Amino acid sequence: MNGINRKSVATGVYFNSIKETRFKSVKISVTMIVPLEEKTAPSYALLPSVLTYSCEKYPDTTALNRALSHLYGAGIGGYCRKMGESLGVTLTIAGIDDRYTMDNEKISTELVNMLCEIIFNPKLENSAFCQKDFDQCKRQLLEAIEGEFNDKRGYAISQMVSEMCNDEKYGIKRYGSKEAVENLTVEDLYQAWKNILVCSRVEVMMIGSSDTTLAENIITEKFSACERTLPEIYTEIRKDISEIKTKYESSDIAQAKLVMGFRTSTAQPNDNTLPMSLTVAILGGTPSSKFFLNIREKLSLCYYCAARYDKLKGIVIVDSGVEKENIEKTIAEVKNQLEQMKQGNITDFEIQAAKLAIINGYKSVQDTVSGMESWYIGQMLDKKILTVDECVDILNNVDKETIISLANTIKLDTIYLLQPSEKAKEEN
Amino acid sequence: MGRMTTIEEITSSILGDKYYKIHHKSGLTIYVYPKDGFKSTYALFGAKYGSINTTFQKENGETVTVPDGIAHYLEHKLFESEDGDAFAKYAKTGASANAYTSFDKTCYLFSCADNFEKSLQILLEFVQDPYFTDETVQKEQGIIGQEIRMYDDDPNWRVMFNLLGAMYHNHPVKIDIAGTVESIAEITPQKLYDCYNGFYNLHNMALTIVGGKAQPESIIAMADKYLKDAPKKDVHSTFPAEPETVVKDYVEQKFPVTVPLFHLGFKENMQKERLTDKEMAESEILLFAMASGSSELYRTLEEQELINNTFDYEHFEGPCYSSVFFGGESKNPKKVAEIIRAYIDNLLVTGVSEKDFKIAKRAVYGADIFSFNRNESIAGILMECDFSDRELFHYLECIKNTTLDDVNRRLHQQFNSNHSALSVILPLNNA
């Protein structure tokens, strides 16, 4: 991977670019990071949808889509995600590289301009967003929230996090609550848009073969025109657990969804986050992990049982789909596998396999535009931004003792279960 | 055997890319697509054999019908050899490995940044080395049974298979890829060997390799070393005749969901096994003009609050079947179906406009260029092309050369509202 070129271009605004000729496309993204708050989360969750729905120049959504189609199917994207106890509101545009247009047209300039139109010149009516477009986007966000239950695996994970972190900011859903979204007004959204332009950490990323000067200049100019301040970006790390929480729900499903939440004392800016991600991979992150080989392959307790680690919050989430009669056995076995690690029952093969798998993943992110983008954007809240090679070196030097001592900091906090109701069981 | 390995070089002036099509002396066709500067390499080894190949002729001429879901079961079991599991071997190279079974193919894959040759050796060896015993076959029933039940809880999966059941009278595409808990109980080592010996012969398979280490010389050397020469075998699957009509035009299921889901399908009267590059390209442009976010149809449905951004469309095509699906979440699926059918009936009279066609063509062309970004997507498309007698770069040329008349001719081949069906998933408490 060619190196990342990173510049501060306005207060709290960084322009990052990676010059790449290997791809057929160019992508520019603008991520605005703000604290996660119950009060503002609903507006920030809706904002990217409304911004990408229409703008002053293309006030009609079909006209906007047709303009993008005409640019060889360029895609604009807008989404909002949790990054620890912050929210990242991202707006992107991706299009084919100028080298591949049908008549040698240069579309890269238009792509940059289009993204800036979306972010800085929305369709407004009397210091508020257009009511009709707002209503359309709000309806679709509400339907997406209602639809979360359709995906039982994702729903169960989200419920576990809400329960585990019920008195922490991390427990706030990215959109706050359904009721809060229902109560949003066009004025609220206008305020949120104004706020995010002046008070956020902004990370711009441009990946492709085109010249970056134009994009850098426009973005510098637009953000310099705002009187900017920086919000405090911070994630609380809790280490102590007084008692293990449990929450059970039931539904007419065939297979139970079991999610277990653990706390570790390791999160950014602690230097041990990479060794911790290795520790969690050995436990349940790869097809050579303890969970996969024992819980799935040896004991046939479930089709999937995976562990993932959030380095910003320092928590580990284990999720599994299990038959009702295997629930207790699976919980016991998850605990047992972690206990084995704590006692040092880890083979060299397990450590080496996890290292190789993680390193393979790291090296491979350099082969996709989205992989490179998320590699760097995912580190923007870290103490230090590392290249793939630096991460590979760190991982290769983690020894067994470090893994054992980190495993000993992983403590069970919450068990969540979405189980089949009695009625569903009889029908099956 | 006396066969020789031959190499064709296929280039694209649009992309400035090339790939090699190697007719290996073993009988296997190998595609090698170099990606200069890429850190990783992706390999896909596939058999033209999927869930729909349930009835076929064995070598002795006898026609057999095997249990539903056996291709997928075989995929799971092939990972095991007498000397251990393929995943355990890949664990030593760091490759990320997987496999999947679809309606018409079974593919085994890995992606790696380091140890490419060792990983390719593992792939070639385990796929050529079946090992099924009563004990190992029995053991897999638990895991696959749980996978089937996981899909039973997936409303997106159910809404599609309910639609296929409503659309197809006889074609085995209507059967769930993994089968049922009952059908997989009938699977024995002997039946697995029958399927393996029929379909997993190198003449019925392809290997596609894309990435930084995709170089024809080294790959041919590996193939010479690890591929077992196979006598040419013709394996013949039979598909029952399929009427052009649908079974029923509506099917619904109550499910623990909060928002109803729908899939609306239009069945094409297929007169041949596969569509050509040209027809596929025409369909892609046609569907974009009809139903993308740039279309009148999308605008109408969205304005009436009948769809949301889960709305999507798909050209669903394979051996002896071709349909178009429109699907997503809706509070009123019947109304959506009514509007789409009326829109299509009208379009069949007016045809797609010049303006819509031009925009759609540029967007589809761009989307196709995008697909050449990723090793994984190129490898998958090369495999699909091999099994359907199409060519990767020719497809891009077809998009470029498609005319409005082509698209309107295709519209009439593909759509007839009388041959359509609606599948709906409703919340349990929905009256």
Side-chain angles (χ1 to χ4, degrees):
Chain A
M1 171 161 41
N2 297 329
I4 180 171
N5 187 351
R6 178 172 172 80
K7 284 186 198 172
S8 169
V9 295
T11 311
V13 182
Y14 296 86
F15 187 89
N16 307 281
S17 60
I18 300 172
K19 187 94 175 164
E20 271 290 356
T21 53
R22 293 181 302 153
F23 302 118
K24 310 291 183 200
S25 60
V26 56
K27 182 172 188 183
I28 311 158
S29 71
V30 175
T31 299
M32 296 176 275
I33 304 165
V34 290
L36 174 61
E37 305 278 356
E38 188 92 49
K39 199 164 150 271
T40 51
S43 301
Y44 289 135
L46 185 58
L47 186 62
S49 322
V50 178
L51 290 178
T52 53
Y53 193 76
S54 59
C55 58
E56 195 179 74
K57 190 172 175 190
Y58 298 101
D60 171 290
T61 193
T62 310
L64 174 61
N65 284 326
R66 289 175 81 92
L68 290 163
S69 294
H70 185 76
L71 286 175
Y72 293 97
I76 47 174
Y79 52 89
C80 162
R81 69 189 142 166
K82 269 160 68 168
M83 300 170 78
E85 292 180 350
S86 306
L87 275 179
V89 174
T90 303
L91 294 144
T92 69
I93 192 157
I96 61 172
D97 190 280
D98 288 337
R99 292 170 291 171
Y100 305 107
T101 57
M102 275 196 247
D103 311 310
N104 293 319
E105 299 150 80
K106 292 256 173 282
I107 63 166
S108 50
T109 310
E110 287 178 69
L111 295 175
V112 175
N113 287 329
M114 185 76 103
L115 182 63
C116 287
E117 289 291 334
I118 297 293
I119 299 172
F120 298 101
N121 301 318
K123 179 179 163 189
L124 300 174
E125 294 167 350
N126 312 318
S127 296
F129 277 86
C130 159
Q131 187 73 45
K132 184 169 160 254
D133 292 2
F134 170 90
D135 288 344
Q136 183 63 255
C137 293
K138 183 164 123 175
R139 170 186 72 87
Q140 298 198 36
L141 176 59
L142 285 168
E143 288 184 14
I145 294 170
E146 282 170 39
E148 282 177 354
F149 185 68
N150 287 10
D151 166 23
K152 303 293 182 290
R153 187 172 178 178
Y155 171 82
I157 292 172
S158 166
Q159 289 295 94
M160 195 291 292
V161 170
S162 297
E163 183 65 22
M164 177 168 167
C165 304
N166 58 11
D167 60 348
E168 295 162 89
K169 292 205 165 152
Y170 197 80
I172 300 170
K173 291 191 191 292
R174 70 177 175 84
Y175 52 80
S177 68
K178 193 182 158 198
E179 293 67 32
V181 173
E182 275 165 352
N183 292 329
L184 281 178
T185 65
V186 285
E187 289 80 18
D188 294 335
L189 202 69
Y190 181 75
Q191 271 314 318
W193 173 67
K194 282 281 182 200
N195 286 344
I196 207 163
L197 290 182
V198 298
C199 189
S200 59
R201 180 59 194 275
V202 181
E203 295 289 346
V204 182
M205 177 65 88
M206 180 164 183
I207 299 169
S209 76
S210 326
D211 184 27
T212 56
T213 321
L214 174 84
E216 190 188 320
N217 289 347
I218 300 182
I219 284 174
T220 306
E221 183 197 324
K222 294 282 184 187
F223 278 109
S224 300
C226 308
E227 277 188 37
R228 290 186 46 82
T229 52
L230 267 178
E232 194 192 3
I233 302 289
Y234 169 77
T235 297
E236 181 200 354
I237 311 302
R238 259 188 218 179
K239 293 165 188 172
D240 299 325
I241 296 153
S242 45
E243 58 176 333
I244 296 169
K245 286 185 269 191
T246 52
K247 181 170 180 172
Y248 292 172
E249 290 185 289
S250 50
S251 171
D252 294 330
I253 48 173
Q255 193 177 70
K257 304 289 171 205
L258 168 69
V259 189
M260 298 167 77
F262 298 80
R263 289 187 197 267
T264 77
S265 13
T266 307
Q268 282 290 335
N270 185 309
D271 282 331
N272 265 331
T273 55
L274 270 173
M276 182 57 97
S277 64
L278 174 66
T279 306
V280 174
I282 295 168
L283 185 65
T286 73
S288 320
S289 67
K290 286 191 175 288
F291 286 173
F292 193 93
L293 292 183
N294 293 290
I295 300 181
R296 174 181 146 130
E297 295 292 310
K298 199 164 145 197
L299 301 167
S300 290
L301 285 173
C302 53
Y303 178 65
Y304 66 89
C305 182
R308 78 196 76 177
Y309 165 60
D310 181 339
K311 66 176 177 183
L312 290 175
K313 182 67 181 168
I315 65 172
V316 175
I317 296 173
V318 172
D319 93 301
S320 170
V322 292
E323 298 299 316
K324 197 165 184 175
E325 61 272 22
N326 289 333
I327 292 169
E328 290 308 322
K329 272 185 259 176
T330 305
I331 292 173
E333 202 51 38
V334 166
K335 289 179 182 167
N336 176 42
Q337 293 302 327
L338 177 59
E339 190 52 38
Q340 295 299 316
M341 285 194 64
K342 290 181 178 181
Q343 290 176 10
N345 293 325
I346 309 166
T347 63
D348 290 341
F349 169 79
E350 287 170 324
I351 296 171
Q352 201 51 31
K355 281 185 180 176
L356 285 170
I358 296 178
I359 289 169
N360 186 55
Y362 285 176
K363 290 185 175 174
S364 302
V365 299
Q366 304 169 92
D367 285 349
T368 63
V369 176
S370 57
M372 283 204 288
E373 185 199 1
S374 48
W375 175 266
Y376 283 111
I377 296 297
Q379 291 189 78
M380 290 308 171
L381 298 181
D382 292 1
K383 187 167 77 173
K384 189 164 177 275
I385 296 169
L386 299 171
T387 63
V388 167
D389 289 343
E390 287 167 332
C391 287
V392 168
D393 279 347
I394 294 170
L395 269 183
N396 271 330
N397 287 317
V398 180
D399 59 19
K400 188 172 166 180
E401 283 61 44
T402 308
I403 295 165
I404 296 168
S405 73
L406 287 172
N408 275 287
T409 66
I410 303 176
K411 298 191 179 85
L412 181 60
D413 182 288
T414 300
I415 299 175
Y416 170 84
L417 189 63
L418 181 64
Q419 56 185 345
S421 56
E422 290 306 317
K423 183 171 147 274
K425 200 179 175 188
E426 282 161 26
E427 280 171 8
N428 283 302
Chain B
M1 316 291 289
R3 280 195 299 259
M4 293 276 289
T5 296
T6 58
I7 311 179
E8 285 175 67
E9 186 179 305
I10 298 156
T11 56
S12 165
S13 56
I14 297 176
L15 294 163
D17 283 10
K18 66 178 169 192
Y19 69 87
Y20 301 91
K21 182 175 182 182
I22 300 162
H23 305 271
H24 190 255
K25 61 183 181 180
S26 61
L28 184 68
T29 309
I30 305 172
Y31 297 83
V32 177
Y33 193 123
K35 278 283 203 180
D36 291 343
F38 275 57
K39 311 284 175 190
S40 64
T41 304
Y42 185 96
L44 189 62
F45 194 10
K48 192 176 172 182
Y49 170 56
S51 65
I52 62 173
N53 304 95
T54 47
T55 300
F56 59 93
Q57 265 183 350
K58 289 210 289 189
E59 273 183 356
N60 60 14
E62 182 195 347
T63 298
V64 288
T65 297
V66 289
D68 293 343
I70 194 165
H72 172 253
Y73 208 94
L74 177 49
E75 173 225 301
H76 272 240
K77 291 323 297 173
L78 205 52
F79 276 94
E80 271 172 42
S81 299
E82 217 166 344
D83 64 340
D85 182 76
F87 279 117
K89 294 172 193 164
Y90 281 126
K92 292 177 185 151
T93 72
S96 162
N98 212 333
Y100 58 87
T101 305
S102 66
F103 293 103
D104 62 340
K105 49 184 159 325
T106 311
C107 296
Y108 302 83
L109 61 98
F110 73 81
S111 173
C112 68
D114 300 315
N115 305 315
F116 168 72
E117 296 211 342
K118 183 70 198 154
S119 301
L120 184 59
Q121 181 190 342
I122 295 167
L123 177 69
L124 297 181
E125 285 183 341
F126 91 82
V127 173
Q128 292 183 92
D129 180 27
Y131 174 68
F132 315 127
T133 67
D134 282 326
E135 193 197 349
T136 63
V137 170
Q138 187 60 37
K139 194 199 127 221
E140 202 71 13
Q141 304 227 336
I143 289 177
I144 296 183
Q146 290 178 44
E147 187 179 356
I148 291 170
R149 287 165 66 81
M150 184 178 80
Y151 281 109
D152 282 345
D153 278 340
D154 181 346
N156 292 300
W157 191 253
R158 292 300 354 133
V159 76
M160 183 174 88
F161 277 93
N162 292 349
L163 175 66
L164 290 171
M167 289 179 78
Y168 287 91
H169 295 263
N170 306 317
H171 196 293
V173 74
K174 67 180 181 173
I175 295 157
D176 223 313
I177 290 171
T180 62
V181 173
E182 293 74 30
S183 73
I184 63 167
E186 295 166 26
I187 292 172
T188 60
Q190 187 52 51
K191 286 177 183 165
L192 289 174
Y193 278 114
D194 282 349
C195 294
Y196 184 87
N197 292 331
F199 293 100
Y200 283 70
N201 79 74
L202 296 178
H203 299 269
N204 192 53
M205 299 175 77
L207 172 66
T208 68
I209 297 171
V210 185
K213 301 214 175 66
Q215 292 304 330
E217 298 75 23
S218 59
I219 287 161
I220 291 171
M222 297 275 295
D224 289 348
K225 198 165 166 192
Y226 297 110
L227 292 176
K228 299 172 187 168
D229 274 10
K232 185 158 173 55
K233 269 196 280 190
D234 273 325
V235 53
H236 190 67
S237 283
T238 47
F239 300 113
E242 177 64 35
E244 64 178 315
T245 56
V246 296
V247 182
K248 50 186 170 182
D249 62 9
Y250 182 74
V251 56
E252 71 172 41
Q253 186 184 354
K254 297 276 177 78
F255 220 75
V257 292
T258 33
V259 181
L261 298 172
F262 74 94
H263 247 54
L264 173 66
F266 290 80
K267 185 174 174 182
E268 179 173 358
N269 188 13
M270 278 288 267
Q271 304 291 347
K272 53 183 172 183
E273 188 170 329
R274 297 303 293 260
L275 297 174
T276 62
D277 285 310
K278 187 167 181 294
E279 288 164 319
M280 293 299 287
E282 290 161 1
S283 289
E284 202 182 343
I285 296 171
L286 170 64
L287 293 182
F288 191 95
M290 285 172 76
S292 72
S294 295
S295 69
E296 251 335 284
L297 175 65
Y298 191 96
R299 182 195 186 92
T300 306
L301 292 169
E302 191 184 52
E303 272 179 358
Q304 295 189 34
E305 306 200 343
L306 288 167
I307 57 166
N308 57 35
N309 54 22
T310 61
F311 181 79
D312 209 351
Y313 58 86
E314 178 190 357
H315 181 199
F316 176 76
E317 189 264 358
C320 303
Y321 63 86
S322 170
S323 297
V324 173
F325 299 156
F326 300 93
E329 297 171 358
S330 176
K331 299 219 159 131
N332 191 347
K334 284 184 179 169
K335 184 77 186 162
V336 173
E338 187 189 315
I339 291 174
I340 295 179
R341 283 180 175 133
Y343 173 83
I344 287 170
D345 288 343
N346 183 53
L347 201 63
L348 285 164
V349 177
T350 64
V352 171
S353 74
E354 176 85 33
K355 218 170 137 191
D356 287 353
F357 163 73
K358 279 189 171 160
I359 281 183
K361 183 169 157 173
R362 283 171 70 97
V364 166
Y365 177 86
D368 209 61
I369 297 279
F370 261 96
S371 67
F372 288 91
N373 260 352
R374 296 176 89 109
N375 295 345
E376 183 180 348
S377 100
I378 296 171
I381 304 169
L382 280 168
M383 182 74 64
E384 176 72 16
C385 284
D386 184 80
F387 291 169
S388 57
D389 213 12
R390 298 178 196 139
E391 199 277 305
L392 184 66
F393 294 149
H394 183 236
Y395 184 76
L396 192 55
E397 296 288 343
C398 286
I399 291 172
K400 209 173 164 180
N401 296 329
T402 296
T403 65
L404 176 60
D405 286 346
D406 293 334
V407 164
N408 278 320
R409 183 183 35 77
R410 189 81 192 106
L411 165 70
H412 284 270
Q413 290 168 354
Q414 226 167 346
F415 288 95
N416 179 341
S417 290
N418 294 324
H419 301 154
S420 71
L422 174 66
S423 163
V424 175
I425 295 283
L426 290 172
L428 290 169
N429 55 5
N430 207 299

